[in-house]
Amino acid sequence: MAPAIPSAEVRLSYPLYALDFDPQDENRLIVGGGGGAARSGVGNKVSVLDASHKDALQIVSELELSRDEDSVNALAVGPHSGNSVLFYAGINSAEEDLKKGKNKHFRSFAAELPSEANAEPKIAELSRTALFSTTDKEAYQRLLRISGQVGAVATGTVGRSEDPQIAVFDLPPAGSTITAPKLRGKIELVKEAVDMDMMQISEDEHQLVYCDGYNIHTLIVGKSDINGPHPIFTMPENEPRRPSLRCIRFLTPTFVLAVANLPNAGGAVLQGFRLPKLPDLGKEGKEGQARLAISANLPKAVSRATGLAVCNLSPPETKFTKQGDTQFAIAVTGQDSSIMLYSLQHQAIGDINLIANLFPITTLKQVHLGPISGLAFSHFIPPSKDSPSTQTLPDLKLASIGSMGNTCVVHTLPSKNSSPNPNPLKLLLPHRATSSPSNPRSRSGTGFFLLISCSSPSSVSSPRAFSKSRATPPRHRRPLLHPVTWHSPGKLYNVLHQDPLLAPSPLP
């Protein structure tokens, strides 16, 4: 039997709403939240956590924020600057300022790195900036994404948004004395962005995608202009159970992954889309539209998905070079405080890019006592091609936070090279969720989480079309490269039987 998956938990003094890993250190996690300005007696804070130990999380430093202002609603970790790591957060100004039309919602912070000479590192606020021009008094900064030196924020409201916006900005260059971002432009939206993501696609260009319920839009942030937004996908209106998009993440410049919920808490589906080519953006017809490439229903126990995180296990050497063969680890949170793990293969064959083999791995049950308010993978940096095959691979960490229990949980997915040849990289992550009868909230697991980067087209499986019901999804109308071979997930993952806690496969 494979070893249990390690997990560590820490309970903080405030509700948690946002988190992100340091892109240069998989053991540094920053979280934020608080009780807002409701005079609840619960303060607003940001905390830096040390996740280097598989069985314990340690608070390295904390900064208590004003109780007159809102809680931390969004957070992203940026680059290192000297002996500090920079991070950014969305925090609404105090109510008195909001009444005057002033809301410096974008905050910049610097967290000192611990060292022998600095045993008590501190967190300092660097700047406050207003990037929105919305007239909606209920608006706050709900979404925040950064990619390199470019970032974007989007408004959110508790009720119906009156003036939704996305603001694109540049971060100050490394070593600069300037700490505030520089606004590049604002996009007025017809509907509020439910989720968004950003990726660098060339030396001078970034691409942003966002979903607003039934639609996916994209825009290109160039060196001197913003092209878009362009609508690239709309959920078919004739669907008797029309899903609404909840989350979206880039996989590569060619593919995005989205989670959509069926109406009336009827379930959720994981969908991969092939984006249109950049010259085709804005064109009418199929050329300017994204195409469904792969799909899988989430387990029946999940009536509604709430979050999504993805991690590329073999990223390209630079952010905008061509992606080769790789595998993605995928995590989806449900309304029942569960986390479902999936794997997805990306194959590059000449100029053809494919995604295939979207397989469920396992489900972590009741990770938190209440709803999961945030989810993030650590940044996985595989060994270089010249590294010896005996080199220890870094662990992949999955962090989640709960707003009701004030808890942060980090699962460590241990990895090892399953082949003496490190190219292509093969990872074997032991994992299969089980809950002890005496401890129904047990997060440990056994079994095998197999993540393999494909080296030939012989294992390509056809994408699955979206199912209109809970019946078996139809096959793609034609194979991508050759006749399809369907694999048994139990055999593929060295699992000989399935218990009720293992996420059911979308395969027949």
Side-chain angles (χ1 to χ4, degrees):
M1 181 177 292
I5 201 171
S7 67
E9 177 177 339
V10 64
R11 185 182 299 273
L12 290 98
S13 61
Y14 58 97
L16 300 175
Y17 297 114
L19 80 165
D20 197 15
F21 276 98
D22 182 347
Q24 299 182 42
D25 188 346
E26 72 276 8
N27 294 319
R28 184 174 294 109
L29 175 66
I30 302 180
V31 299
R39 300 291 188 267
S40 62
V42 179
N44 304 310
K45 289 184 180 181
V46 288
S47 305
V48 178
L49 305 180
D50 179 1
S52 58
H53 301 286
K54 297 179 180 180
D55 57 353
L57 293 175
Q58 180 181 358
I59 300 176
V60 177
S61 56
E62 285 189 322
L63 176 64
E64 186 158 357
L65 307 172
S66 171
R67 297 196 177 201
D68 295 327
E69 297 184 325
D70 201 0
S71 61
V72 178
N73 292 294
L75 191 150
V77 181
H80 287 199
S81 177
N83 65 340
S84 300
V85 56
L86 304 178
F87 67 96
Y88 312 95
I91 305 171
N92 262 18
S93 295
E95 186 174 350
E96 292 299 321
D97 292 328
L98 296 178
K99 291 179 179 179
K100 300 175 183 177
K102 299 178 181 179
N103 185 12
K104 295 185 176 182
H105 55 86
F106 187 91
R107 311 293 174 89
S108 301
F109 296 89
E112 293 178 344
L113 302 176
S115 63
E116 294 182 0
N118 187 10
E120 297 183 1
K122 295 180 173 22
I123 303 174
E125 182 177 339
L126 302 180
S127 64
R128 302 183 174 198
T129 309
L131 297 174
F132 298 133
S133 59
T134 177
T135 57
D136 191 343
K137 296 181 180 180
E138 299 297 324
Y140 65 98
Q141 180 184 310
R142 190 170 65 86
L143 301 175
L144 167 61
R145 298 286 183 269
I146 60 173
S147 176
Q149 294 300 119
V150 179
V153 290
T155 58
T157 57
V158 177
R160 182 178 177 84
S161 178
E162 298 178 358
D163 186 19
Q165 293 181 349
I166 289 178
V168 180
F169 58 88
D170 288 326
L171 292 172
S176 173
T177 57
I178 301 174
T179 58
K182 179 182 178 181
L183 182 65
R184 290 280 297 274
K186 291 188 287 287
I187 298 95
E188 301 289 341
L189 307 180
V190 177
K191 295 175 61 179
E192 181 179 289
V194 177
D195 198 15
M196 70 177 183
D197 201 15
M198 176 175 279
M199 173 176 278
Q200 187 170 3
I201 57 174
S202 72
E203 188 172 359
D204 297 322
E205 289 182 317
H206 290 74
Q207 185 168 6
L208 184 144
V209 292
Y210 69 92
C211 55
D212 62 7
Y214 298 117
N215 308 288
I216 298 177
H217 306 261
T218 188
L219 57 90
I220 307 300
V221 182
K223 191 173 183 178
S224 58
D225 62 350
I226 298 176
N227 179 8
H230 302 285
I232 58 173
F233 178 80
T234 299
M235 284 286 182
E237 295 184 7
N238 57 355
E239 291 283 351
R241 303 175 67 205
R242 191 184 188 193
S244 61
L245 293 155
R246 176 62 183 85
C247 307
I248 192 165
R249 291 291 182 271
F250 268 107
L251 295 172
T252 71
T254 305
F255 296 100
V256 295
L257 190 70
V259 173
N261 291 320
L262 295 172
N264 302 319
V269 62
L270 194 59
Q271 298 176 308
F273 293 93
R274 180 186 294 272
L275 297 175
K277 296 179 180 179
L278 297 187
D280 294 333
L281 290 177
K283 290 184 178 180
E284 297 182 358
K286 295 182 179 180
E287 286 185 329
Q289 295 296 299
R291 291 174 289 165
L292 184 64
I294 202 164
S295 179
N297 291 334
L298 267 63
K300 292 183 179 180
V302 178
S303 61
R304 187 179 72 258
T306 60
L308 173 67
V310 300
C311 180
N312 187 347
L313 297 174
S314 295
E317 294 183 1
T318 62
K319 293 183 178 181
F320 45 86
T321 55
K322 180 177 173 57
Q323 175 68 62
D325 293 344
T326 188
Q327 193 158 38
F328 290 90
I330 300 166
V332 185
T333 55
Q335 90 296 336
D336 58 349
S337 301
S338 63
I339 301 178
M340 291 137 285
L341 296 175
Y342 287 78
S343 67
L344 174 67
Q345 291 177 353
H346 175 274
Q347 299 173 341
I349 308 168
D351 293 331
I352 300 175
N353 296 304
L354 307 170
I355 52 174
N357 297 339
L358 176 58
F359 288 137
I361 306 303
T362 192
T363 297
L364 304 173
K365 294 286 186 176
Q366 297 178 324
V367 180
H368 296 268
L369 288 175
I372 296 176
S373 51
L375 186 70
F377 277 113
S378 60
H379 295 256
F380 190 81
I381 304 176
S384 64
K385 295 181 179 180
D386 299 328
S387 301
S389 59
T390 57
Q391 178 179 340
T392 302
L393 296 178
D395 291 327
L396 178 62
K397 298 180 185 295
L398 174 63
S400 59
I401 51 176
S403 57
M404 183 175 294
N406 305 351
T407 49
C408 176
V409 176
V410 174
H411 288 87
T412 300
L413 307 177
S415 59
K416 67 177 182 179
N417 202 328
S418 63
S419 169
N421 178 15
N423 301 312
L425 180 65
K426 295 185 178 182
L427 301 175
L428 189 65
L429 304 181
H431 190 73
R432 187 182 178 189
T434 58
S435 290
S436 164
S438 61
N439 181 12
R441 292 189 67 237
S442 171
R443 302 180 186 86
S444 299
T446 59
F448 288 91
F449 186 165
L450 182 63
L451 300 180
I452 304 177
S453 294
C454 302
S455 57
S456 71
S458 60
S459 61
V460 175
S461 295
S462 169
R464 307 305 299 261
F466 173 69
S467 173
K468 296 182 180 179
S469 67
R470 291 190 181 276
T472 301
R475 297 181 186 273
H476 199 279
R477 286 178 293 181
R478 59 182 180 182
L480 293 175
L481 295 177
H482 52 74
V484 176
T485 301
W486 297 103
H487 302 281
S488 167
K491 295 178 182 178
L492 183 65
Y493 302 117
N494 199 25
V495 177
L496 299 182
H497 68 279
Q498 292 187 353
D499 59 36
L501 293 177
L502 187 66
S505 169
L507 300 179

